[in-house]
Amino acid sequence: MTRKQTVWGTVIGTVVSFCALAYAEIALPVQPLISDYALVSGGLAPVLIGMLALAGACLSLAYGLAAAEPARTAATRVLLLAGAAGLMMSAIFPTDPGSSQIGTLSGEIHRWAAAVVFTSLPVAGWSLARGRAAAPGWNAVKALSVTSALSLAFYLAAHPASITSPLIDGAAYYGLLERGLVVAEMLLIVVMALAFAGRRSAARTAGQTAGPASPAEAGPPERQERLAA
């Protein structure tokens, strides 16, 4: 997979996911959490499309990273694959009605799969950007990784199942926090792909600008002959 194919696959999957979930928000009765739209009439399709399209975006990015930097991005790819698997499991196993009680095996699987998604993607972004030279693209990846992690912390604190929720009146806005977290992680996936593509372009441009080495830089004739061979 080429650099452009990686970017396009990631961006298209993320945009399709965003549009599907936006449709649910606009066309369906308001639900506390995004997953709850699958429980209302006409809501299953957009939720399935949204989750599976975002899983496809994660897989596209992971495949592109494997082709370009197999050793450097191993940890990032594992986390992206975990996120994609979590999204697929969340799509296959719907949540239970209600905000705090889980009564079925399907609901329990959905909750843990969603936890994998929400935690793996911020760590994947930080892992990809860690140790790289300062640049706007990588700075954006780090910023969105931190934003996603903080959004997750606030969401967990406000969720009705948390013991801290009554202390901060979390039931009034935990759904809004979840939506903010989902959007932040969607943006993170796209920015990761763009930053990595920008790095590849910069490296290629630098190589073209440098041009061929002069005879003095190339070394003695014997070394030049070995290089030519």
Side-chain angles (χ1 to χ4, degrees), residues 133-154:
W138 296 122
N139 291 339
V141 172
K142 290 181 179 179
L144 280 170
S145 298
V146 172
T147 299
S148 298
L150 292 175
S151 298
L152 175 60
F154 284 120

Side-chain angles (χ1 to χ4, degrees), residues 27-42:
L28 301 175
V30 177
Q31 299 297 311
L33 298 175
I34 293 175
S35 298
D36 293 335
Y37 284 109
L39 305 176
V40 303
S41 177

Side-chain angles (χ1 to χ4, degrees), residues 7 10-11 14-15 61 185-195:
V7 174
T10 305
V11 171
T14 306
V15 169
L61 179 55
E185 296 201 346
M186 286 181 174
L187 288 174
L188 173 60
I189 294 171
V190 172
V191 171
M192 287 169 66
L194 294 175

Side-chain angles (χ1 to χ4, degrees), residues 4-33:
K4 289 185 178 180
Q5 289 173 333
T6 298
V7 174
W8 278 111
T10 305
V11 171
I12 290 173
T14 306
V15 169
V16 170
S17 177
F18 179 82
C19 290
L21 298 179
Y23 167 80
E25 292 283 348
I26 296 171
L28 301 175
V30 177
Q31 299 297 311
L33 298 175

Side-chain angles (χ1 to χ4, degrees), residues 170-186:
Y173 54 85
Y174 75 101
L176 182 61
L177 287 173
E178 187 216 28
R179 286 158 174 81
L181 172 60
V182 170
V183 172
E185 296 201 346
M186 286 181 174

Side-chain angles (χ1 to χ4, degrees), residues 157-160 162-171:
H159 195 282
S162 171
I163 60 174
T164 59
S165 182
L167 303 176
I168 58 177
D169 194 23

